[in-house]
Amino acid sequence: MISFILCLLLLIAGYLTYGKIVDNTFGPDDRETPAVRINDGVDYVVMPQWKLFLVQLLNIAGLGPIFGALQGALWGPVVFLWITFGTILAGGVHDYFSGMISERNDGASIAEVTGKYLGHTMQNVMRVFSVVLLIMVGTVFAVGPAGLIVTLCKNSGVSGLLCTTLFWLILILVYYFIATFISIDKIIGKVYPLFGMCLIIMAVGVIIGIYTNPNYTIPEIWTHLYNMHPSGTPIWSFMFITVACGAISGFHSTQSPLMARCLKNEKQGHFVFYGAMVAEGIIALIWAAAGCALYEVTGGLNTGLAEVLAGGQSAAIYDVCSKTMGGVGIALAMIGVVICPITSGDTAFRSARLTLSDWFHIDQGPYVNRLKLCIPVLGVGAILGIGNATGFINYTVIWRYFSWTNQTLAMIVLWAAAMYLFTEKKNYWIAAVPATFMSAVSSTYFILAPECLGGLLNSKTADGAVIYNTALAYPIGILFAALLLALFIRATKKHAAQKAA
């Protein structure tokens, strides 16, 4: 429990100290924000700071800091360190700059921002990559809740149309269309702060339940500072990829521009962007602690946690909430596993619309122009979702690459932030260091992961256990990160020489 409390205090201190350093490095001022200057009543709308914080938290979180943290707990309390320092030194930096640089560029989507600072080729890559990723996220966050609602209906004795996945999927997609189309302050700005508070309440309830139950003990980092994964999966770099939301996640950079278009003053950025990331880190820390405390810790974590996780997100969250909060926890879990994915899904589709509007320079004020993008974006989502629900399309294999692409996106955004700071003659190392770290994480995982090159390079023992080719992956990961850092330094010197000439 002591190490958990220390990590919790570090996260709070990190917001107050390092978060302020990040904020001062950027240098917010009193210039007119896009929300004030453009204010189209649709996407550029001034909202109160507390709403911006809660909406941002819900947009970037969903079930990510819950299920990802529970999966991270398989490695033991060492995951507390990644959540804590990853949030302070990488995730908070990533979210802050993706939001504030967007704000300085009229609320531009992350593809346009990275293109401006990393070149036209990267801009086009990021445009395609972002749209595909966002539609995929939105679709998965429609199919998942639809299936869960059907399960709940069947368990409650309901039959007929209400027990079909297709019915609920269509209903969710209709809602997505409405939420993507109308002004951001009509549904998202009004309802999402409430759900954001539910996410916080759920986490608080879990930690109180652990603390008040004498049967649960959060293991200390210093007595369990080793790989406790029951399958022997390496900490580096699998844990850093698995626990994305709650430490650092590239998906956040697609969501930050939504709130960048709603800031009344630049000085709100520290609380809205860095603060929401720290709040997500605290939520992840609590759920990781629950994963370590509720399931027996031996030489390796008891397979009880692995078995619960194998049942999927809803089963794992239900189990933790019921054990820590009883009936109230079950009610919160049901709300969480249904509402949280949906709230991330609709903002994913909204971000896809805005990315396309920036790409093709389509003004989103007139409703006709919004229809031009909403219809094809939601249409593709509907085809994928309905195809998956009816068994005609299976994109599970593609979705397995999300973990890697998500952290690769974070890497790219951090490099863009470093280049922005260089061009502004500010301390770019604050972004370049985590960018280098995430470059090593992403490249190492690509070589080790079974769904990537690991499927070819890894071997297996006689009983089927995977032998990871770390002797090859670790050096290549370090060399790749060093190469990107060298290329970045070379680019800064070239840029400085051109300006001097």
Side-chain angles (χ1 to χ4, degrees):
M1 178 65 87
I2 295 173
S3 54
F4 166 80
I5 294 173
L6 288 175
C7 288
L8 180 63
L9 293 175
L10 276 172
L11 281 167
I12 296 170
Y15 168 75
L16 297 172
T17 56
Y18 196 74
K20 201 60 185 173
I21 292 171
V22 171
D23 192 43
N24 290 337
T25 300
F26 177 82
D29 54 36
D30 293 323
R31 72 183 67 190
E32 259 191 341
T33 62
V36 176
R37 187 175 64 257
I38 300 173
N39 203 322
D40 62 358
V42 180
D43 300 307
Y44 294 87
V45 180
V46 174
M47 288 199 292
Q49 180 175 263
W50 68 272
K51 278 191 175 183
L52 294 174
F53 169 81
L54 288 171
V55 173
Q56 173 73 0
L57 174 61
L58 198 61
N59 285 355
I60 66 174
L63 294 180
I66 298 177
F67 194 66
L70 285 174
Q71 289 179 308
L74 286 170
W75 281 277
V78 67
V79 73
F80 298 170
L81 296 176
W82 168 231
I83 291 171
T84 302
F85 294 104
T87 294
I88 296 169
L89 302 175
V93 175
H94 170 275
D95 287 18
Y96 178 87
F97 283 111
S98 62
M100 295 306 291
I101 298 175
S102 170
E103 191 274 338
R104 283 279 173 94
N105 287 275
D106 291 336
S109 61
I110 197 60
E112 306 306 307
V113 170
T114 53
K116 180 174 181 178
Y117 298 103
L118 297 181
H120 187 65
T121 300
M122 182 57 71
Q123 182 181 51
N124 285 329
V125 169
M126 286 291 289
R127 282 168 171 171
V128 175
F129 181 79
S130 297
V131 173
V132 171
L133 179 68
L134 287 165
I135 292 176
M136 187 182 295
V137 169
T139 303
V140 170
F141 285 162
V143 173
L148 179 61
I149 294 171
V150 169
T151 301
L152 293 174
C153 288
K154 289 180 178 178
N155 291 342
S156 302
V158 179
S159 60
L161 185 64
L162 292 178
C163 277
T164 61
T165 302
L166 188 59
F167 170 78
W168 288 106
L169 179 60
I170 292 173
L171 204 62
I172 291 171
L173 288 171
V174 169
Y175 161 73
Y176 279 0
F177 183 88
I178 296 170
T180 303
F181 178 78
I182 66 174
S183 173
I184 194 167
D185 61 336
K186 292 296 188 290
I187 295 180
I188 294 174
K190 283 187 170 65
V191 181
Y192 284 23
L194 297 175
F195 295 138
M197 285 187 279
C198 285
L199 194 64
I200 296 171
I201 291 170
M202 194 190 305
V204 172
V206 167
I207 195 59
I208 291 175
I210 294 172
Y211 184 76
T212 56
N213 191 321
N215 296 319
Y216 301 143
T217 303
I218 301 174
E220 304 295 356
I221 295 172
W222 42 82
T223 57
H224 299 80
L225 193 59
Y226 53 89
N227 186 355
M228 302 180 69
H229 200 289
S231 300
T233 305
I235 292 175
W236 180 267
S237 60
F238 285 86
M239 187 181 74
F240 300 88
I241 293 287
T242 300
V243 186
C245 292
I248 178 172
S249 169
F251 175 70
H252 296 186
S253 66
T254 67
Q255 302 301 292
S256 293
L258 294 179
M259 295 300 98
R261 301 180 185 217
C262 300
L263 294 177
K264 184 178 182 180
N265 189 291
E266 282 193 349
K267 295 175 182 177
Q268 296 175 331
H270 176 227
F271 180 62
V272 173
F273 298 120
Y274 198 96
M277 182 62 234
V278 170
E280 186 186 54
I282 291 172
I283 291 170
L285 182 66
I286 290 172
W287 282 89
C292 291
L294 269 61
Y295 307 94
E296 182 184 354
V297 176
T298 56
L301 279 182
N302 189 285
T303 53
L305 177 57
E307 289 169 358
V308 169
L309 291 170
Q313 293 182 347
S314 57
I317 295 168
Y318 181 94
D319 193 59
V320 172
C321 287
S322 62
K323 286 179 177 177
T324 55
M325 293 180 282
V328 174
I330 292 172
L332 285 172
M334 288 181 177
I335 293 172
V337 297
V338 173
I339 298 299
C340 287
I342 291 176
T343 56
S344 291
D346 64 2
T347 52
F349 279 117
R350 191 180 191 94
S351 295
R353 171 174 68 81
L354 294 176
T355 300
L356 289 170
S357 70
D358 287 348
W359 184 353
F360 296 107
H361 307 289
I362 301 174
D363 180 13
Q364 292 298 280
Y367 74 90
V368 174
N369 287 352
R370 270 176 278 149
L371 285 174
K372 290 178 181 177
L373 296 180
C374 283
I375 291 174
V377 165
L378 269 299
V380 173
I383 292 171
L384 291 174
I386 294 172
N388 183 76
T390 55
F392 287 102
I393 298 174
N394 188 344
Y395 50 83
T396 304
V397 175
I398 299 174
W399 183 249
R400 286 211 305 265
Y401 288 93
F402 173 75
S403 297
W404 173 73
T405 53
N406 184 47
Q407 298 301 61
T408 302
L409 175 59
M411 174 196 81
I412 295 170
V413 172
L414 283 169
W415 282 122
M419 186 57 71
Y420 164 81
L421 290 171
F422 169 76
T423 59
E424 293 293 317
K425 298 180 180 178
K426 296 178 179 179
N427 177 21
Y428 53 80
W429 289 108
I430 207 167
V433 170
T436 304
F437 179 83
M438 291 309 299
S439 299
V441 167
S442 183
S443 55
T444 304
Y445 181 84
F446 186 78
I447 298 171
L448 287 178
E451 65 267 23
C452 300
L453 287 181
L456 299 174
L457 300 176
N458 297 332
S459 57
K460 290 186 178 181
T461 61
D463 59 357
V466 178
I467 302 175
Y468 294 95
N469 195 341
T470 56
L472 175 67
Y474 289 177
I476 290 179
I478 293 171
L479 288 172
F480 180 76
L483 174 62
L484 289 189
L485 178 59
L487 290 173
F488 171 76
I489 293 173
R490 180 174 177 271
T492 60
K493 290 180 177 179
K494 183 179 179 181
H495 187 276
Q498 289 175 344
K499 290 206 76 174

